[in-house]
Amino acid sequence: MPSSTLSEAELRVYGLIAEGKRIQAGDRRTVQRLLDAGLILSDAFQPSRYAVVNLDEIEGRLRDSVQQQLEATARQLADIPSLVAQLRSCRPEPPRSTGTASTWIEGKEAVNAAIAVAVDGARHELLTAQPGPRPRKVIDLSTDRDRAAVERGVAMRTLYSTSSRSNPGAIDRVNRMTSLGAHFRTLTRPFMRLVLVDRAFAIVEDHADGRPSFEGAYLVRDRAACGYLAAAFDLDWQMGLDWHGDEPAQQPTITTPLQRTILRALCAGKDQQQIAKALGYSAKTVNNAMGDLRTKLDIATVYQLVAWWMGPEGTVERAIEEE
């Protein structure tokens, strides 16, 4: 395929041929370039004479050539994630950083591959925090992966959102993994998505640039940062309710733990739809929780409910720690 434009010499010679004029001996190299590009044809009976190719034919041929190149490039781009995933699966341990303590991993498949490599290399401890709902297929895949780690002696603790207690896939996973020695707790309030291996290698959702969790995650190798993440996890773990434990004794309060969590989030500027997504509940569940509290307090709107929560009447409720 020729370049997008012709040189001055090529354009001059092409013009001479189009007008049916003779070509000088010094233009033979330029003529050959035009022949190679498929822009002109030589006369089979008079090799020294040439004719230009039909412009529609040239345009069609060039478009086909470019289209083929674009399709080939698209196929190569589509193959890159699979190639990287194959290479990552062959790594015996998490890749070591050459210059930075954290690396952005693009795409859910690449993140899952990195988690698989990290868990396969776990020796002592595996801490995971999984807020929000998870599909049954994803839960089953992680169960098969984590079971192998627990069976070889890795201590495992997982923190779920309270809404996971009604998820059949999560219930099955907890029952299967608990029998092997893993531990599970739940929290009503939001918490950070995290996978932490041996307190030295972590995969966390993006809190720097605000990208959605499905776009990727950060891979963190700095031991100080991982230690901080482990301490944060331990604090959440202490506040969590054991999956198979007894329900905490009811306190003489007006609000439920879920209602208090929602009210705190409303005061932080979140709307009810955002709160539902963060907690792993449906929007209807959140709306019903607020509706029940409005009925109990004989309050008409959510705005009045927030005012009550922030006022003197809500002082006792605000002082209660979640779970």
Side-chain angles (χ1 to χ4, degrees), residues 13 43 45 65 70 79 85 98 120 138 140 176 216 235 246 259 273 281 288 314:
V13 172
D43 192 316
F45 300 101
S65 177
L70 288 174
D79 289 341
T98 56
D120 288 344
V138 174
D140 290 343
R176 292 169 61 187
L235 287 175
D246 296 330
Q259 290 167 343
Q273 186 172 1
Y281 286 104
N288 288 343

Side-chain angles (χ1 to χ4, degrees), residues 49-112:
R49 297 189 64 83
Y50 306 92
V52 296
V53 177
N54 181 274
L55 292 180
D56 291 337
E57 179 182 338
I58 292 175
E59 182 178 8
R61 176 156 39 85
L62 293 178
R63 288 183 180 277
D64 289 343
S65 177
V66 171
Q67 182 65 33
Q68 292 173 4
Q69 291 186 29
L70 288 174
E71 291 175 354
T73 300
R75 287 194 295 271
Q76 291 176 338
L77 287 173
D79 289 341
I80 289 175
S82 297
L83 173 61
V84 173
Q86 288 178 326
L87 296 175
R88 197 184 304 279
S89 68
C90 296
R91 299 289 288 266
E93 60 181 4
R96 299 298 178 184
S97 173
T98 56
T100 59
S102 63
T103 304
W104 171 253
I105 305 175
E106 188 74 31
K108 184 180 296 185
E109 290 185 1
V111 171
N112 289 335

